[in-house]
Amino acid sequence: MTVDGVPNVRVCVEPVREGATVRAQNVLGSLDRDLLNVVDRIGGPFTPVGFYYRTMLRPRRLWPQYERVLRNLAGLGCLDKSGRRSGRYDVEHRRADVLVIGGGEAGVAAARAAAENSVGSVVLVDERAAPHIDGVETLAPARAIGFYEGGLVPVDAGNVLYRFRAGKVVVATGTVEQPLLFPGNDLVGVLLPQAVRRLVDDWALKPGDRGVIVSADGAGLDVVEQLRRAGVEIVEVVDLRESLPSTLAANGRRGRLESVTIEGRELACDLLVMSGGRQPAYSLLAQAGARVEYDARRGIFVPVDLPANVEAAGSVTETEPAAAPPPPSFDGGDAKGRCFVCICEDVTEKDVKRALAEGFDSLELAKRYTTVTMGPCQGRLCHLPSIRLYARETGSDEGAIGTTTARPPWAPVSLGLLAGRGLEPAKRTAIHHRHVELGATMMWTGAWRRPHSYGDAAGEARHVHEALGLIDVSTLGKLLVEGPDAAAFLELLYPNRFADMKVGRVRYGVLGSDAGRIMDDGTIGRIADDRFYVTTTSTGADTVIEWFDWWNAVWGMDVEVVNLTGALAAVNVAGPRSRELLGRLTDVDVSNEGIAYLDTKEAHVAGVPCLILRIGFVGELGYELHFASPYGEYLWDTLLERGKDLGIRPFGLEPQRILRLEKMHIIVGQDTDSESNVLEAGMPWIAKLDKDDFVGKWALEHVQARGFREQLVGFEMANGVVPAEGGQIVLDGRSAGRVTSARMSPHLGKAIGMAWVRPQLAVEDARIEIKVDGRLEAARVRLKPFFDPKGERLRA
Amino acid sequence: MTGLDFVSLDRAVAGDGFEPRLSSPLCRALEGSDRVLDLSFLGKIEVRGDVDAINGDLEVVRITPQRALVLCAPEEAAALRDRLPGMVIDMTAALAGLELHGVRTLRRLTDLDLDALPAVGRVADVPCLVLRNGDSFRLFFPQEYGHSVAEVVLDVLKGLE
Amino acid sequence: MSFLLPCPNCGPRDVDEFAYAGETTERPQGTPSPRELASYIHFRRNAAGVQREWWYHRFGCELWFLAERDTRTNEVLKTELPSTDAAGSPTPHEPATPDTPAV
Ligand SMILES: [Zn+2]
């Protein structure tokens, strides 16, 4: 049944609620005119097991259509593709000294004993309402859905998933009555004893007028009492332990039971209660690590060798023996009904035989082929019967066939509950709300939310060249590397040299691995003899910090690495008028002598202590200000206010990407990949191969010795078309490289980009062609920055 | 100005027409909720080195044998930075702080053993220091997650109403 | 995966709190031959059994430590902080490439 859109709801345990929308599942229309019947009737021979795999494999393009029909036929419920989160789901982490799963007699006794012995906190989980026990916390209705490694037991309580870690888990899940296999066993009116007990005892419903009972154990026969109470006329009771009929079949019309035929005798009835005995519900124990073996005497699988801290209570291990296990299936004589092994997945006895005939003789393979045990009941009702059937058909015994792995979830669980809250933590800068108020389009870069632009990327980029721009760069990774070994530590980590750096200077650094690969880049400022301020890329910050800590853990040098990423906000004030603005806000000398290109200095700016770094990622005179993040909004506001007459304008990430491309400054991960090294990426001056050692030295020496295979260069399009990133460079009809970045530069009025090309093309002005929308467009290679190649604007 | 003043909150100077003011990343996200207290401006001084050498009547949270966080009133931070032993870094700006109540609230935020606090671990999917005093908990975590964590905390509280 | 990993500093925690960084490697002493270099950079034992490996307590104390774990069962036999004598200590190797451009 589908109740309020939730599929696979078991009718006999779901209470009726006012206003609930209940729909039949696995039928089209009403049961009386079940359209699937048509498929069943004509399809009996037409839709055998594995039908999809064999028949609908080709043509592949028709799969979507096939699938749509098959999904409907399979009756697996309906996914609302435009649906939104419909309810709230929470996860609660719980600990308990004893967790009892199952609130039957044995579970209650175990919980009571644990509470009386005051072993600590005791929690009892039951599918239905469990009784109150002193000293025991009861969770009901709730279901343990699996037993995961580390002793993790998730419990489904509707809208809350409890993740239990318990000192001891007591599994008292009892047994599951097993169906008998005979033709017509899917008809409405064929019930298991458990369903009868619930209908009569719990809901006071009369399950039928005339009943037949066929059972392999005493518990099944006991429902006679319930049936009498409900006023059901008992037509016949068959105790399979005493007499085993040679044929058994149920007959019906329009899906409803009308009679039962036992050894040729036809008995009119509308209720058939059947039981093939009880199988321990051992799934949770097996998931916990217990071994499961076949007990031939009792004809069931039993859990043995329980792992430490896991106990079983009650009938999950101690089931009274049936005198003799029932046969795997009954011959129905000339009955027309189909004999189902797996009701959820519509697998019949015939399907299983067919799978075997096709060579799927291993249980695990056959399970995947027929999908028996893979439906919502998770094998509760079909695992044992299917194994019995396999044993008979293959002429082996059940023990030799073994069991399939019953993986979690043990019970159907809603995807919403598994997904939980579903919020990924986002990082926001201290200036975040200002961007939103200024109308910025926000975008993700890693976990960060950043302004893409404030509505006019090209205009914002041009404005930085012409006047004054302001960008929030708080997302940069910021590290303090401090200690007597600080310089030596950085010398080992970077290909660059730092030992010769003077206090107050900044250097561009590229971080590499021992494979020579470029991992990250940033600036390194020496702010004291034994103290360096290191910035990293925004998305690489966490990796770099862990990388530094890792090597420090190995080398054990006298140096501390401190992550200041969140402690500090940072902005870049860039453009020809940036010096004038900075001069208004600080007492320090901001002239080219006072703070030269690649200088760093601590100063109060608008009353806030800042570390000023004069660097130029965007290619214009500019200052990065790094300062305590709670002053973020204040300093941002003050810069905009005091720079108003200078025409200051905020700019986003997209204009920054245009500006850096004009300078041919790389973005790690965009212009570089897992093969890129500083030599081939056109930055050979970074690598000081004369140093004794640094991470990546040997690999770079190897690259130098073997010669370059490709090189990172710039290119300029002949006719202003912007190629796609990833676009192919073509030379004489063959691939000769790929585009990594491309943009229209509003300042230069040209389409420019960067690309990896074969070394022979890494020559100024070399002609190349780039594939754009299937056409070849002409371009020229450029080795020097497109804008201000001599860096005069940066140094001005 | 020397050292690491640019990391601290208490080194700003007003005057010359400048009035530096602080804003907490949390205050907007908390929407004035009275069930959660913003502790972001509490002084948080990290000490690296021999943390056993820290003395005085201080709230010291030991994170590793070589690393501890000293919690203090904002106005005490400057004096503490001067007198604490080892390498001292002001983490006041780095860590946002929240105070909230209820064991159940915490259980919906973290897998940490609430009977074994203080501890550093995963709370609301971010790295976090958790301290407990009876039914009241203080959380300290990277401030850049402030908004996200506040959203989750408020939502959890709503779910428990 | 939901096993518990005992951090040498913090005690047992959900494995989700940690970053896994692969089996330990030995960084060559002196200049390696191309074969030694390739073996150090690219080759791993990939043991089906007990493996010595690096972990980082990312959501906790931020310490790197070594674990001996059975890769077949996730049973953790031992964890310890690395010794800080530089000679012969196992070395980090390259972390996975970040999947977003670093800007
Ligand atoms: Zn730890």
Side-chain angles (χ1 to χ4, degrees):
Chain A
M1 283 289 169
T2 303
V3 178
D4 286 340
V6 177
N8 303 326
V9 175
R10 284 156 64 202
V11 183
C12 61
V13 290
E14 182 72 14
V16 174
R17 273 178 293 110
E18 177 90 32
T21 310
V22 183
R23 289 214 162 82
Q25 192 178 325
N26 296 11
V27 295
L28 290 177
S30 76
L31 195 58
D32 286 336
R33 277 174 292 111
D34 183 353
L35 295 179
L36 294 183
N37 249 324
V38 181
V39 180
D40 277 0
R41 220 170 298 137
I42 58 159
F46 287 114
T47 54
V49 64
F51 173 73
Y52 325 146
Y53 304 132
R54 286 192 311 259
T55 317
M56 300 203 179
L57 208 59
R58 288 190 181 81
R60 210 180 193 101
R61 65 188 162 78
L62 280 183
W63 245 109
Q65 275 89 321
Y66 289 150
E67 205 179 355
R68 209 168 53 214
V69 176
L70 291 174
R71 292 287 309 174
N72 266 330
L73 291 185
L76 295 177
C78 176
L79 183 69
D80 179 5
K81 284 181 184 164
S82 62
R84 292 266 170 272
R85 185 171 289 263
S86 54
R88 80 166 285 131
Y89 293 101
D90 283 288
V91 172
E92 194 164 316
H93 302 272
R94 292 293 311 268
R95 276 154 209 271
D97 292 297
V98 179
L99 175 67
V100 182
I101 301 166
E105 268 174 50
V108 168
R112 186 170 285 135
E116 279 164 7
N117 296 330
S118 30
V119 291
S121 54
V122 183
V123 179
L124 176 77
V125 173
D126 190 55
E127 268 194 294
R128 306 160 73 210
H132 171 80
I133 309 164
D134 278 340
V136 176
E137 180 188 344
T138 306
L139 286 178
R143 288 180 296 183
I145 58 175
F147 200 115
Y148 292 78
E149 63 181 355
L152 176 70
V153 179
V155 173
D156 172 356
N159 287 340
V160 181
L161 183 77
Y162 295 96
R163 285 175 99 250
F164 267 97
R165 300 269 193 190
K168 188 168 90 175
V169 178
V170 181
V171 176
T173 42
T175 56
V176 180
E177 276 164 333
Q178 299 295 301
L180 295 169
L181 270 49
F182 53 85
N185 64 350
D186 65 324
L187 291 168
V188 172
V190 180
L191 295 180
L192 287 167
Q194 183 60 34
V196 172
R197 281 179 219 116
R198 282 201 177 138
L199 290 173
V200 175
D201 292 348
D202 297 358
W203 315 122
L205 290 172
K206 185 177 171 187
D209 292 322
R210 291 167 54 81
V212 173
I213 300 165
V214 181
S215 177
D217 71 356
L221 298 174
D222 290 345
V223 295
V224 168
E225 195 263 324
Q226 267 90 358
L227 293 179
R228 289 226 165 89
R229 216 156 11 96
V232 179
E233 180 190 338
I234 309 290
V235 178
E236 178 113 349
V237 176
V238 181
D239 186 342
L240 295 176
R241 293 171 297 185
E242 285 166 7
S243 67
L244 203 58
S246 57
T247 63
L248 172 68
N251 318 300
R253 224 158 60 85
R254 289 185 172 169
R256 286 179 211 281
L257 178 71
E258 291 195 329
S259 68
V260 176
T261 313
I262 302 172
E263 291 191 319
R265 279 188 308 128
E266 184 167 354
L267 308 165
C269 63
D270 60 354
L271 175 67
L272 169 57
V273 185
M274 58 145 174
S275 170
R278 284 169 302 155
Q279 162 65 50
Y282 63 73
S283 288
L284 289 175
L285 291 169
Q287 287 167 18
R291 211 158 48 76
V292 175
E293 65 182 29
Y294 189 71
D295 182 334
R297 191 177 56 91
R298 290 185 280 176
I300 52 174
F301 286 93
V302 289
V304 291
D305 299 343
L306 302 191
N309 306 325
V310 176
E311 285 179 16
S315 56
V316 68
T317 52
E318 311 151 11
T319 302
E320 61 167 278
S329 71
F330 284 94
D331 184 358
D334 51 3
K336 291 197 192 70
R338 296 205 283 156
C339 175
F340 279 87
V341 183
C342 176
I343 299 272
C344 317
E345 293 288 294
D346 274 3
V347 180
T348 63
E349 181 188 8
K350 207 185 252 176
D351 291 329
V352 171
K353 288 180 177 170
R354 192 188 300 264
L356 277 166
E358 287 181 10
F360 292 94
D361 53 355
S362 134
L363 185 65
E364 289 283 0
L365 284 178
K367 159 180 153 184
R368 282 155 181 78
Y369 188 59
T370 61
T371 69
V372 71
T373 74
M374 287 164 70
C377 89
Q378 287 290 286
R380 276 182 177 77
L381 301 179
C382 50
H383 183 246
L384 182 64
S386 64
I387 290 171
R388 285 175 176 167
L389 200 57
Y390 263 85
R392 187 185 70 191
E393 296 299 318
T394 57
S396 54
D397 67 71
E398 289 83 349
I401 285 182
T403 67
T404 55
T405 312
R407 291 183 183 83
W410 184 48
V413 54
S414 73
L415 290 175
L417 190 64
L418 292 182
R421 170 185 319 283
L423 288 181
E424 271 185 61
K427 297 182 184 178
R428 289 177 174 84
T429 76
I431 310 169
H432 178 84
H433 291 285
R434 288 293 186 257
H435 305 316
V436 175
E437 287 155 11
L438 286 164
T441 314
M442 303 304 285
M443 62 182 277
W444 290 98
T445 54
W448 287 102
R449 303 290 288 144
R450 297 192 71 181
H452 173 270
S453 73
Y454 299 84
D456 176 16
E460 290 163 28
R462 210 181 309 115
H463 197 74
V464 173
H465 286 307
E466 291 163 3
L468 185 55
L470 178 66
I471 182 170
D472 179 2
V473 292
S474 306
T475 58
L476 291 172
K478 309 171 204 80
L479 312 186
L480 203 63
V481 177
E482 181 168 329
D485 290 340
F489 181 67
L490 293 174
E491 287 261 325
L492 272 172
L493 280 172
Y494 284 85
N496 304 69
R497 201 183 311 281
F498 297 105
D500 61 347
M501 249 174 97
K502 292 195 174 65
V503 171
R505 291 294 286 166
V506 181
R507 195 163 276 176
Y508 172 67
V510 179
L511 199 61
S513 69
D514 254 335
R517 184 178 76 84
I518 295 174
M519 288 173 57
D520 201 79
D521 66 350
T523 53
I524 295 93
R526 190 166 205 168
I527 54 177
D529 270 338
D530 61 352
R531 183 183 283 160
F532 289 81
Y533 185 71
V534 177
T535 68
T536 78
T537 63
S538 301
T539 47
D542 293 340
T543 310
V544 172
I545 290 153
E546 289 175 15
W547 181 249
F548 278 26
D549 279 343
W550 201 0
W551 284 100
N552 199 19
V554 171
W555 290 330
M557 295 170 81
D558 194 354
V559 60
E560 291 288 338
V561 180
V562 183
N563 182 1
L564 293 178
T565 302
L568 302 173
V571 294
N572 185 11
V573 192
R577 296 178 193 163
S578 54
R579 178 175 291 130
E580 189 176 349
L581 176 58
L582 188 62
R584 293 176 183 181
L585 305 176
T586 181
D587 293 337
V588 298
D589 175 10
V590 296
S591 72
N592 213 9
E593 292 71 46
I595 305 177
Y597 180 57
L598 296 183
D599 268 0
T600 178
K601 189 168 244 168
E602 290 173 60
H604 278 89
V605 177
V608 175
C610 289
L611 184 69
I612 303 172
L613 303 153
R614 187 174 159 196
I615 48 183
F617 187 52
V618 295
E620 289 287 352
L621 169 70
Y623 305 87
E624 267 184 22
L625 310 177
H626 295 235
F627 54 96
S629 55
Y631 291 112
E633 287 190 3
Y634 161 73
L635 207 53
W636 176 267
D637 293 348
T638 306
L639 287 162
L640 287 181
E641 197 184 296
R642 300 290 175 112
K644 204 178 247 170
D645 60 317
L646 300 173
I648 192 165
R649 217 173 133 177
F651 65 105
L653 200 57
E654 175 57 22
Q656 189 195 44
R657 284 179 172 174
I658 297 171
L659 292 163
R660 69 91 199 178
L661 191 58
E662 293 169 349
K663 287 297 289 179
M664 243 182 243
H665 288 151
I666 64 158
I667 293 179
V668 173
Q670 166 93 31
D671 302 302
T672 68
D673 58 32
S674 61
E675 299 294 309
S676 311
N677 56 71
V678 285
L679 300 179
E680 290 174 312
M683 298 182 281
W685 71 89
I686 297 276
K688 305 298 182 204
L689 293 173
D690 59 333
K691 289 201 290 184
D692 279 350
D693 190 13
F694 63 84
V695 173
K697 183 186 183 219
W698 307 315
L700 293 178
E701 283 171 342
H702 176 69
V703 169
Q704 193 141 62
R706 69 141 156 84
F708 291 178
R709 288 180 179 155
E710 50 177 10
Q711 276 180 259
L712 186 61
V713 298
F715 65 82
E716 192 178 307
M717 302 301 289
N719 61 4
V721 178
V722 180
E725 286 167 359
Q728 208 171 33
I729 312 281
V730 179
L731 179 69
D732 300 332
R734 304 185 133 210
S735 173
R738 63 197 180 279
V739 174
T740 60
S741 297
R743 287 288 189 282
M744 172 57 69
S745 161
H747 181 75
L748 302 167
K750 291 172 182 167
I752 56 172
M754 291 177 82
W756 285 95
V757 296
R758 291 206 201 132
Q760 69 264 31
L761 292 176
V763 181
E764 184 72 27
D765 237 19
R767 294 173 62 103
I768 52 170
E769 286 182 306
I770 301 176
K771 215 173 211 174
V772 184
D773 294 333
R775 284 171 291 111
L776 290 178
E777 297 283 351
R780 296 274 187 175
V781 168
R782 294 281 177 260
L783 299 181
K784 292 198 189 73
F786 303 100
F787 174 78
D788 187 24
K790 292 189 178 142
E792 285 154 350
R793 313 243 331 177
L794 285 176
R795 292 182 175 81
Chain B
M1 202 171 85
T2 54
L4 292 172
D5 281 2
F6 63 95
V7 178
S8 293
L9 299 188
D10 49 23
R11 285 291 186 248
V13 251
D16 294 336
F18 298 120
E19 293 290 333
R21 63 189 152 71
L22 301 168
S23 49
S24 151
L26 282 173
C27 53
R28 290 187 202 225
L30 290 177
E31 292 160 351
S33 166
D34 55 354
R35 303 176 61 182
V36 185
L37 201 63
D38 185 353
L39 302 178
S40 298
F41 296 139
L42 204 68
K44 289 149 259 161
I45 315 291
E46 183 166 324
V47 176
R48 298 204 184 183
D50 182 11
V51 301
D52 293 328
I54 302 171
N55 54 44
D57 184 18
L58 297 170
E59 182 167 16
V60 181
V61 189
R62 204 173 138 136
I63 294 165
T64 75
Q66 279 85 42
R67 193 174 149 217
L69 201 66
V70 181
L71 301 172
C72 62
E75 60 276 13
E76 292 166 0
L80 268 179
R81 290 198 301 269
D82 289 341
R83 86 164 177 81
L84 286 170
M87 181 184 176
V88 176
I89 319 128
D90 191 338
M91 283 294 181
T92 304
L95 302 171
L98 281 179
E99 183 176 294
L100 41 83
H101 302 273
V103 167
R104 198 99 198 267
T105 316
L106 263 288
R107 280 182 188 157
R108 293 206 171 180
L109 291 167
T110 182
D111 186 37
L112 284 172
D113 184 350
L114 302 181
D115 295 324
L117 299 178
V120 280
R122 186 182 191 138
V123 178
D125 276 341
V126 307
C128 188
L129 167 67
V130 189
L131 295 100
R132 177 175 189 171
N133 183 5
D135 193 43
S136 129
F137 298 85
R138 283 176 293 164
L139 312 179
F140 296 99
F141 51 91
Q143 65 85 14
E144 57 271 33
Y145 287 120
H147 193 105
S148 265
V149 171
E151 274 177 353
V152 175
V153 166
L154 290 180
D155 185 55
V156 161
L157 288 170
K158 202 169 141 201
L160 288 171
E161 268 168 14
Chain C
M1 282 201 302
S2 64
F3 65 95
L4 299 172
L5 188 66
C7 168
N9 183 64
C10 307
R13 293 289 174 85
D14 198 301
V15 68
D16 285 353
E17 284 201 356
F18 302 87
Y20 170 64
E23 65 181 69
T24 58
T25 51
E26 287 295 332
R27 196 165 188 260
Q29 308 280 314
T31 305
S33 68
R35 177 173 289 272
E36 285 164 347
L37 184 60
S39 151
Y40 159 57
I41 293 171
H42 301 295
F43 286 82
R44 298 293 176 263
R45 292 178 293 275
N46 196 23
V50 177
Q51 168 173 289
R52 203 165 155 75
E53 57 196 19
W54 280 108
W55 290 84
Y56 177 70
H57 198 177
R58 184 176 278 168
F59 284 86
C61 64
E62 296 174 341
L63 288 181
W64 282 98
F65 62 92
L66 295 156
E68 282 172 18
R69 179 181 62 104
D70 191 322
T71 58
R72 298 162 302 181
T73 59
N74 281 336
E75 187 192 351
V76 180
L77 289 79
K78 178 176 157 186
T79 56
E80 61 184 347
L81 296 173
S83 67
T84 47
D85 69 77
S89 54
T91 59
H93 58 82
E94 190 171 356
T97 315
D99 54 4
T100 47
V103 279

